């Protein structure tokens, strides 16, 4: 296989490798590092031993991601304030024409699900991602992770029960989410407490991720009254010359706030029965570096 062909085959599969690594790690930079390391392994592999390039690359990427996830667990314990995944700009476009497949991909990359996946063991998370997001058979996953199939089935069942117990239930109607997001943005920008209260569920929860590097609450804010007053207070402090841009992040509509020096924050709402149930706000500048899309 020529050097050009080796590169072309890898580039053909790079998007799915990045998707696998990001779902396992929740960090774009770490996912990119894993994929780059997979490229080095691929470039040095014996072609005679690689019958299925995609399977080989997903196997290598999965194992590298599991190893890195084990190392990251210790780092997360020292994180300042709540942790949210790094925003991942998603646009399935025409590459995923099937509506059901789109829904699965969007769900398994959502901020809410990735937060739940953080509580799984590295192997449980890998099995969940490979099975639920990408539909690999248990036998293939066992080969990828060098585990027996019965053990993989047990890991999959445990991971699925854990996620089902903790995953929030949200409506995903895009038109309703867009309407509520626009109304929320208008009310929050104007410091309109009454308008905000009409949109928030009684048990709404706001989670802000700053990593201690920007202003954000160090604990989740809960209840409509507390969240509404927090947002009104934030609007009163103001951000000079801020502009807003809609984009798709982690499979759903989000808003990027842009200040004089680039991205200031990104926020996303989760909606159920016409009310906002959760608000995710990411202000850690390290996690916003890829969102300056101009």
């Amino acid at each position: 296989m020529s050097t050009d062909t080796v590169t072309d085959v890898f580039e053909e599969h790079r998007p799915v490798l990045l998707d696998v690594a990001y779902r396992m790690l929740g960090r774009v930079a770490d996912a990119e590092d894993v994929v780059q390391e997979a490229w080095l392994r691929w470039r040095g592999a014996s072609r005679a031993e690689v019958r299925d390039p995609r399977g080989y690359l997903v196997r290598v990427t999965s194992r590298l991601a599991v190893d890195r996830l084990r190392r990251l667990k210790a780092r997360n314990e020292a994180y300042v304030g709540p942790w949210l995944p790094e925003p991942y700009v998603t646009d399935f476009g025409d590459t995923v024409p099937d509506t059901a497949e789109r829904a699965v991909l969007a769900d398994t990359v959502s901020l809410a699900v990735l937060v739940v996946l953080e509580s799984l063991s590295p192997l449980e998370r890998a099995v969940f991602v490979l099975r639920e997001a990408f539909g690999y058979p248990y036998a293939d996953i066992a080969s990828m992770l060098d585990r027996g199939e019965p053990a993989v089935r047990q890991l999959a069942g445990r991971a699925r029960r854990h996620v089902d117990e903790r995953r929030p239930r949200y409506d995903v109607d895009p038109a309703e989410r867009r309407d509520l997001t626009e109304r929320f943005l208008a009310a929050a920008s104007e410091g309109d407490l009454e308008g905000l209260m009409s949109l928030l569920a009684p048990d709404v929860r706001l989670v802000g991720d700053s990593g201690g590097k920007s202003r954000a609450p160090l604990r989740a804010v809960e209840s409509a009254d507390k969240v509404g007053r927090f947002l009104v207070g934030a609007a009163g402090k103001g951000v000079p010359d801020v502009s807003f841009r809609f984009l798709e992040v982690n499979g759903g509509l989000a808003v990027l706030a842009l200040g004089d020096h680039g991205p200031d924050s990104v926020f996303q709402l989760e909606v159920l029965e016409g009310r906002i149930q959760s608000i995710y706000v990411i202000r850690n500048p390290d996690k916003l570096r890829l969102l300056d899309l101009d």
Side-chain angles (χ1 to χ4, degrees):
M1 189 181 293
S2 70
T3 301
D4 288 346
T5 302
V6 168
T7 302
D8 290 343
V9 170
F10 185 84
E11 290 303 321
E12 176 187 350
H13 298 297
R14 180 187 287 273
V16 72
L17 302 181
L18 186 59
D19 281 350
V20 168
Y22 174 78
R23 282 170 171 80
M24 289 190 189
L25 297 165
R27 303 158 182 83
V28 176
D30 288 320
E32 290 173 339
D33 288 347
V34 162
V35 172
Q36 180 60 27
E37 192 170 348
W39 156 247
L40 297 176
R41 302 283 183 93
W42 167 250
R43 191 174 61 180
S46 169
R47 302 300 150 212
E49 298 176 3
V50 180
R51 298 180 180 179
D52 174 15
R54 179 186 171 109
Y56 172 88
L57 289 167
V58 171
R59 180 170 67 252
V60 169
T61 299
S62 299
R63 291 183 180 183
L64 290 171
V66 168
D67 289 343
R68 181 168 290 240
L69 189 58
R70 286 172 174 149
R71 297 195 299 272
L72 289 172
K73 286 289 186 181
R75 189 176 77 181
N76 281 356
E77 293 176 0
Y79 197 80
V80 178
W83 180 92
L84 290 172
E86 182 177 346
Y88 187 39
V89 178
T90 50
D91 182 2
F92 301 126
D94 296 329
T95 61
V96 187
D98 181 73
T99 301
E101 187 178 353
R102 264 176 204 269
V104 170
L105 286 172
D107 180 57
T108 57
V109 81
S110 71
L111 294 178
V113 168
L114 290 178
V115 168
V116 175
L117 294 188
E118 280 292 301
S119 59
L120 298 178
S121 74
L123 276 177
E124 287 172 340
R125 184 165 183 167
V127 170
F128 181 89
V129 167
L130 292 170
R131 178 66 179 174
E132 300 297 329
F134 297 95
Y136 280 102
Y138 291 115
D140 289 358
I141 298 173
S143 175
M144 289 175 182
L145 300 178
D146 194 24
R147 294 290 188 278
E149 186 174 340
V152 165
R153 288 180 177 274
Q154 188 175 45
L155 286 166
R158 192 159 60 233
R160 164 52 61 190
R161 288 192 297 272
H162 183 93
V163 173
D164 284 346
E165 288 170 1
R166 292 163 176 79
R167 172 168 42 193
R169 301 300 176 185
Y170 298 127
D171 294 336
V172 292
D173 178 70
E176 182 179 33
R177 179 185 271 188
R178 174 79 184 217
D179 175 65
L180 274 171
T181 300
E182 290 177 343
R183 291 160 59 195
F184 171 84
L185 181 58
S189 299
E190 297 168 6
D192 178 5
L193 180 59
E194 184 177 347
L196 285 169
M197 295 296 287
S198 70
L199 304 175
L200 302 175
D203 57 348
V204 63
R205 190 167 185 262
L206 183 149
V207 181
D209 177 340
S210 69
K213 299 180 180 181
S214 299
R215 186 183 296 275
L218 295 179
R219 294 183 178 84
V221 182
E222 299 181 332
S223 84
D225 181 66
K226 291 181 180 178
V227 169
R229 293 186 184 283
F230 171 80
L231 292 169
V232 169
K237 295 174 183 177
V239 179
D241 300 322
V242 68
S243 61
F244 299 99
R245 178 172 179 177
F246 289 94
L247 70 165
E248 184 181 288
V249 165
N250 293 76
L253 180 71
V255 177
L256 172 64
L258 293 162
D260 289 338
H261 303 291
D264 173 82
S265 59
V266 62
F267 71 83
Q268 188 176 70
L269 311 179
E270 297 293 358
V271 176
L272 178 65
E273 297 178 352
R275 291 292 187 96
I276 298 169
Q277 299 288 327
S278 294
I279 305 168
Y280 299 114
V281 183
I282 300 172
R283 300 205 67 213
N284 185 337
D286 296 340
K287 296 184 177 183
L288 301 176
R289 60 188 182 85
L290 298 179
L291 295 180
D292 195 353
L293 307 178
D294 292 336

